[in-house]
Amino acid sequence: MKNTNRLMIGAVAAFGFSLGTSALAQETITVSTWGGPNHGINTIVWPTWKAWIEEATEGRVTVEVVHDMGPPAAQMEIVADGIADASWIFHAHMAGRFLATQLPEFPTFEEFSSEDAAAAYWHTHQEYLAQANEHRGVDVLAMGVHGPGQIFTRDQFDSLDQLSGKRLRVGGGVMSGLSDAMGVTGVALPPTGVYEAASQGVVDGAMLTLESLRSFRVAEVAPHTLTVDGGFYRGSFAIVMNPMFWDQISPEDREAIEAVSGEHLSRLFGYMMDVSDESGVEFGKERGATFTQVPEADIEMLRGVTDNLIAEWTTAVADRGIDAEAALAHFREQLAQAAESEGIADRVVRQ
């Protein structure tokens, strides 16, 4: 009996040791996130990417998401310094560093999904934009865009000339150029600051995405929306990784992670933005929000402004070794191809 007990104890101890070493062998990608807990990046993107990685590496690598490691503008530095292994960055938060990434931000005056745009952007970045080396210090795992940026106002307007002299929240990048051309006063604010600023009359409205109607409660303080097909602008994002993380895992696992990143992760990011926009519009309509398409005369004015902004951008990125015309043409070709490709919806995990 005693021998039997000893054998059982020994077997349990060995099993426990095996579990312990297995747990220790599992590597964790620590992801810094700056979106709120209910933001789609946290409820859709990270849970899905985690599931993909665990499946691709047979459980050898997992993902842990950590909130509030630093403000949005500090995420690039947080990853480059190894405080976190990965994060998502908004390029306009780092004015001056990123120019090539303005490519998908310009108005197109055509409707397309953020999922397709993100896929097209990923391939265009790899083919043309990466050589600018604007993400030096980190590895780029995915590129993304948010949905069509529109104009939300406290009072209802029917055309852009009625906005002249008004104060609108802007977030940098193409937004700043557009606001100057429209004769409005741009006020630099994070999306999280719009509710308070609008409710107190500090701003008359904001340039934001449709998902903001819900996620940042914009429908409550700026319920009137001026819209343009495809948006007045888009916003550019990237999901980045500290290069030193690859030293912690095998080449096989690195290859597996990269296989479920790239276009797949880019599409996932865009899909999340599409879903979030749909939710925002539904939320706004339930609360009486209005949506007014700008008149054709304004569209023509915006086309001229956009042509000028692209010309200025073309000159600026040439100094960074970018053939802007070829990159834009490639992006549009990829956008058409992406629309014909299979979407990501069936592979999404929701939290």
Side-chain angles (χ1 to χ4, degrees):
M1 184 70 178
K2 290 182 179 178
N3 287 338
T4 302
N5 286 339
R6 288 196 198 96
L7 288 172
M8 291 179 64
I9 292 170
V12 170
F15 180 66
F17 178 77
S18 173
L19 285 177
T21 54
S22 175
L24 288 172
Q26 186 181 54
E27 291 293 344
T28 299
I29 301 173
T30 301
V31 173
S32 169
T33 191
W34 46 272
N38 295 322
H39 192 287
I41 192 76
N42 299 315
T43 61
I44 295 176
V45 175
W46 302 137
T48 300
W49 194 44
K50 176 181 179 179
W52 289 353
I53 288 173
E54 290 179 344
E55 179 181 5
T57 64
E58 299 179 336
R60 291 183 297 273
V61 183
T62 188
V63 171
E64 179 184 7
V65 178
V66 181
H67 294 258
D68 302 323
M69 294 184 75
Q75 296 302 308
M76 181 100 163
E77 185 178 354
I78 286 171
V79 173
D81 290 346
I83 299 170
D85 298 315
S87 185
W88 60 307
I89 62 173
F90 182 52
H91 294 111
H93 284 154
M94 289 160 279
R97 173 158 189 167
F98 293 100
L99 288 176
T101 56
Q102 289 182 10
L103 179 144
E105 296 184 2
F106 299 108
T108 60
F109 310 101
E110 296 178 3
E111 295 286 1
F112 53 85
S113 73
S114 296
E115 178 182 342
D116 291 341
Y121 188 22
W122 165 255
H123 290 294
T124 305
H125 176 266
Q126 296 302 94
E127 185 71 22
Y128 287 96
L129 308 182
Q131 64 194 45
N133 198 28
E134 293 178 339
H135 295 90
R136 56 193 174 276
V138 297
D139 286 349
V140 178
L141 296 184
M143 302 297 286
V145 297
H146 66 47
Q150 309 291 10
I151 295 178
F152 306 90
T153 56
R154 298 168 62 202
D155 300 319
Q156 188 165 6
F157 300 104
D158 300 319
S159 62
L160 296 182
D161 61 351
Q162 295 175 1
L163 294 177
S164 180
K166 302 298 182 183
R167 301 180 302 279
L168 296 183
R169 174 269 173 185
V170 298
V174 170
M175 274 185 279
S176 297
L178 287 172
S179 64
D180 290 343
M182 291 188 295
V184 305
T185 300
V187 179
L189 279 175
T192 51
V194 170
Y195 180 88
E196 181 178 2
S199 63
Q200 295 179 355
V202 175
V203 295
D204 301 298
M207 299 181 78
L208 279 171
T209 57
L210 293 167
E211 59 103 4
S212 303
L213 287 165
R214 179 176 183 177
S215 59
F216 301 117
R217 299 172 62 193
V218 171
E220 299 174 27
V221 292
H224 304 291
T225 309
L226 277 173
T227 67
V228 168
D229 286 346
F232 286 87
Y233 68 97
R234 296 266 176 159
S236 171
F237 297 80
I239 293 176
V240 297
M241 172 85 83
N242 185 304
M244 291 186 293
F245 178 79
W246 304 125
D247 297 334
Q248 301 172 217
I249 62 175
S250 67
E252 175 188 7
D253 285 341
R254 174 176 181 170
E255 184 178 352
I257 293 168
E258 290 179 332
V260 296
S261 300
E263 180 181 343
H264 301 290
L265 184 55
S266 299
R267 275 191 174 275
L268 177 63
F269 187 94
Y271 169 86
M272 175 272 292
M273 287 295 184
D274 288 332
V275 170
S276 299
D277 279 350
E278 291 169 6
S279 177
V281 170
E282 182 179 351
F283 180 87
K285 288 181 177 179
E286 289 173 353
R287 284 152 183 78
T290 66
F291 298 85
T292 303
Q293 182 82 358
V294 300
E296 187 58 36
D298 285 343
I299 297 294
E300 289 306 308
M301 183 273 288
L302 288 171
R303 289 185 188 277
V305 170
T306 300
D307 288 344
N308 291 335
L309 291 175
I310 290 176
E312 293 172 2
W313 174 77
T314 298
T315 301
V317 297
D319 292 338
R320 301 191 179 190
I322 302 298
D323 184 340
E325 291 185 7
L328 278 167
H330 188 76
F331 176 71
R332 289 162 184 158
E333 291 170 4
Q334 290 295 315
L335 190 57
Q337 291 182 25
E340 299 297 323
S341 302
E342 185 177 354
I344 208 75
D346 291 342
R347 299 181 58 204
V348 172
V349 175
R350 293 178 181 274
Q351 184 169 295

